[in-house]
Amino acid sequence: MGRPCLARWDRAWCAVRVTGPRQGRFPVRFGTAEVVRDLDRANGWLLSVDGVAQSYVDVDDPTHLEFDYVRRIADVLDCWGEAGAAVDALHLGGGACTVARYLSVTRPGSRQVVIDADGGMVALVRDQFGVDAIPGVTVHVGDGRAGATDREDLSADVVVVDAFERGMVSAGLFSVEATRELSRVLRADGVYLANLSDGPGLPFASRAVATLSAVFGNVLLLAEPAVLRGRRYGNIVLAASAVDLPTDHIAARAANAAFPARCVTAAELRALVGPARPLTDAEPITPPVPPKDPFAT
């Protein structure tokens, strides 16, 4: 889920002729996808499913990141590791591969695998957004957790979990068992990143943080202050690693963003989580259900 400025999406696009992506509605596994052109950018496109924004892609400029949560993921990736160095990345959930596109440009030579459970969505983005032409990126249709199990130990520098079904986070990817499997795939200094959404009280995010804390030595949370205060439902980015993360640099970038976000770590994060228990496969994991207007304050 993203936070586009909905007033920008002019429905009078019928008379616009473009090459590459084409506007329209398309059936996919988890609903009906819609591709809409951004009239403010020459080749910017919004991809949504059943009215919920999934991806934004600027075909001409993969470094343009429209959604705030994607910028927060990019903040972590830009501050972590050696600037510009190629990485091996595993993405569970793909959409239009916005983050994979970004990494392919900012860290040229990277090798990336994207696994998405929605075969219809994969076919759509292959046809319209040319994801198979992104340098170093391979896209597969399949279950993300099973795909992670098939990966070799210590085979990835970066893992990104950004998988939603019908507007709700794929909660099974957040259990402690799934998280341990992903930590097995990560190299010793690798970074785990996840996007989820939650509402007042952060009931799911708190348990996700508790889960990551049980597996990794270092965890941080990035979100807009209104989301942290429970004033509205919104996106939350989690980052984790077995080694120290460049928290100060990440926090500075988030604080200076167009829509400033807070970086919560250490004691403050423990206070936020409180007595929350890790998520496990042994109990049903219910993802947060977005309200009808998820961005209302």
Side-chain angles (χ1 to χ4, degrees):
M1 286 180 55
R3 189 190 180 199
C5 180
L6 297 180
R8 294 173 52 187
W9 307 104
D10 189 339
R11 296 295 176 169
W13 44 256
C14 300
V16 178
R17 291 180 177 271
V18 296
T19 59
R22 59 190 183 276
Q23 299 161 123
R25 295 167 63 85
F26 309 89
V28 295
R29 177 182 175 186
F30 296 124
T32 300
E34 185 172 17
V35 178
V36 178
R37 186 182 183 188
D38 180 358
L39 298 184
D40 287 347
R41 295 186 71 85
N43 212 357
W45 301 85
L46 174 69
L47 174 64
S48 62
V49 177
D50 292 341
V52 179
Q54 297 290 318
S55 297
Y56 179 100
V57 174
D58 187 318
V59 177
D60 296 334
D61 181 10
T63 65
H64 174 75
L65 305 176
E66 185 74 11
F67 295 165
D68 299 329
Y69 85 85
V70 180
R71 293 181 188 141
R72 302 292 77 78
I73 290 174
D75 287 342
V76 177
L77 291 171
D78 289 347
C79 295
W80 165 85
E82 180 184 350
V87 298
D88 293 322
L90 172 64
H91 304 258
L92 304 187
C97 298
T98 304
V99 176
R101 291 174 191 272
Y102 182 82
L103 272 177
S104 74
V105 171
T106 59
R107 292 178 176 264
S110 293
R111 297 178 299 181
Q112 304 186 71
V113 173
V114 178
I115 303 174
D116 197 298
D118 192 329
M121 177 65 73
V122 171
L124 175 64
V125 298
R126 277 179 167 149
D127 176 50
Q128 298 218 29
F129 294 98
V131 295
D132 289 327
I134 305 172
V137 172
T138 304
V139 182
H140 300 290
V141 177
D143 178 79
R145 187 158 172 181
T149 301
D150 291 339
R151 298 278 293 187
E152 295 182 0
D153 293 357
L154 309 176
S155 58
D157 303 295
V158 175
V159 167
V160 181
V161 179
D162 189 5
F164 284 75
E165 299 176 8
R166 305 187 188 280
M168 294 184 290
V169 66
S170 297
L173 293 175
F174 287 86
S175 72
V176 70
E177 293 86 356
T179 304
R180 286 180 181 138
E181 191 66 19
L182 292 172
S183 72
R184 175 191 63 79
V185 172
L186 274 175
R187 295 183 177 122
D189 58 350
V191 63
Y192 166 105
L193 286 155
N195 169 49
L196 57 87
S197 53
D198 210 350
L202 306 180
F204 185 82
S206 295
R207 296 197 66 185
V209 170
T211 304
L212 290 180
S213 299
V215 177
F216 295 98
N218 296 279
V219 181
L220 62 83
L221 179 152
L222 294 157
E224 293 183 21
V227 175
L228 287 175
R229 290 195 295 266
R231 288 178 52 194
R232 69 170 183 83
Y233 186 93
N235 291 89
I236 294 169
V237 170
L238 301 177
S241 180
V243 300
D244 289 340
L245 292 167
T247 305
D248 291 344
H249 296 295
I250 295 168
R253 289 186 60 151
N256 290 302
F259 292 96
R262 286 188 56 210
C263 180
V264 185
T265 62
E268 188 179 10
L269 188 59
R270 289 192 293 273
L272 178 69
V273 172
R277 296 174 291 108
L279 299 160
T280 71
D281 290 339
E283 62 178 307
I285 301 175
T286 303
V289 178
K292 291 183 178 180
D293 184 1
F295 303 114
T297 57

